[in-house]
Amino acid sequence: IQQIGARPTLFVHGARDVVVPPRHAQQLYNAARGDKTLLWVRQATHVSVVLFESEMQRVAQWMKERLIHNGRCSTHTAK
């Protein structure tokens, strides 16, 4: 996670995930630098996160606020 550098990073994780423990999302979030957000989807399991419309709207809003500037998408390349 530290190799991607300090850039806007969004972590989305289902709180009821039994495949990837929620603590892993917390550890990644803690290791990230810069502008970071951790969105817990309380009702979600491993792949059901996308079924929760309100959380997906929050993801879309986060992307709009942090990645889209003046109608153009911000581009970042991994190092």
Side-chain angles (χ1 to χ4, degrees), residues 2-72:
Q2 293 178 355
Q3 291 180 347
I4 66 170
R7 60 182 44 127
T9 307
L10 174 63
F11 301 90
V12 181
H13 201 93
R16 296 182 180 180
D17 191 336
V18 295
V19 176
V20 178
R23 66 180 153 71
H24 289 186
Q26 186 68 55
Q27 290 168 344
L28 289 170
Y29 174 81
N30 292 345
R33 295 178 284 155
D35 179 13
K36 58 186 180 179
T37 303
L38 176 55
L39 172 59
W40 291 110
V41 183
R42 292 180 189 217
Q43 314 90 325
T45 59
H46 184 63
V47 295
S48 68
V49 168
V50 298
L51 301 177
F52 296 91
E53 185 175 342
S54 63
E55 282 78 4
M56 290 300 94
Q57 288 175 354
R58 289 178 62 189
V59 169
Q61 184 64 35
W62 184 93
M63 294 174 103
K64 180 179 177 183
E65 291 172 359
R66 290 173 177 82
L67 304 179
I68 300 173
H69 305 283
N70 298 324
R72 292 170 33 193

